[in-house]
Amino acid sequence: MFQKQVQTTLAKGFAGQLASLNPQVYDTNNLPAGKSGITAGLAVWQKTDDNILENKGTGKPLGIALANMNYVNYDLSKDASMLISEGQTIQVLKKGDVYVNCTTAANVGQKIYVNTTNGTFSANETGQTVDSSVETDFYVIEGATGTNELILISNWS
């Protein structure tokens, strides 16, 4: 594929990238991705019956799949992919500062909610009911006015 776009400024980050030098807490199980793979930068749940990770589940997620960039993009017909293939070990962030894409506008201080059907993030006020979503302990640190934009979240208080 040939380059189709040139940016004149550096990106502030990408989904699943650590955003600071603050301490981080990781899941120590180092479980593999399930049959559908894992999309880096989304929430993950542990499927306990066969000890794999998936981008969907019930209750609060285990954490966020980090994008370590040590995975091969096997689909060469695409420019890039955040998909981590089945069986690859996933590094899961449980506590820290991380960039994620947010499906809603996000204001500083709002809580982060995770969709349990696909692992995507949205922002809303504390204690709200959000369809197919569960409230997490992450807060918006750097927000965005549009939808599907990159934001910085943290669960350090």
Side-chain angles (χ1 to χ4, degrees):
M1 298 272 169
F2 292 105
Q3 184 173 346
K4 296 176 184 159
Q5 186 175 348
V6 175
Q7 300 292 335
T8 58
T9 59
L10 293 174
K12 64 180 175 180
F14 54 87
Q17 179 184 22
L18 293 175
S20 75
L21 295 177
N22 285 337
Q24 300 98 32
V25 177
Y26 301 97
D27 181 63
T28 58
N29 293 315
N30 296 319
L31 296 173
K35 291 186 181 198
S36 300
I38 290 290
T39 301
L42 297 183
V44 294
W45 285 261
Q46 181 178 349
K47 189 174 175 187
T48 54
D49 54 344
D50 48 4
N51 277 331
I52 59 171
L53 296 175
E54 295 183 335
N55 285 127
K56 61 184 177 182
T58 57
K60 285 192 177 183
L62 178 63
I64 300 170
L66 292 182
N68 289 329
M69 303 310 208
N70 60 344
Y71 303 103
V72 176
N73 176 11
Y74 290 108
D75 188 352
L76 298 179
S77 65
K78 294 183 179 177
D79 290 336
S81 174
M82 295 297 278
L83 184 68
I84 302 170
S85 302
E86 173 187 2
Q88 297 293 319
T89 301
I90 308 298
Q91 186 176 22
V92 178
L93 179 74
K94 295 179 94 171
K95 195 167 182 81
D97 305 336
V98 63
Y99 287 110
V100 297
N101 288 320
C102 189
T103 60
T104 61
N107 297 317
V108 173
Q110 286 185 316
K111 285 288 268 192
I112 293 297
Y113 292 78
V114 175
N115 187 306
T116 57
T117 63
N118 59 20
T120 57
F121 299 95
S122 61
N124 208 326
E125 299 303 321
T126 302
Q128 299 299 307
T129 300
V130 179
D131 288 341
S132 301
S133 296
V134 58
E135 186 175 329
T136 70
D137 58 348
F138 283 90
Y139 287 90
V140 177
I141 302 300
E142 289 179 10
T145 56
T147 59
N148 296 314
E149 289 189 29
L150 195 66
I151 64 169
L152 171 58
I153 64 174
S154 178
N155 53 0
W156 288 114
S157 34

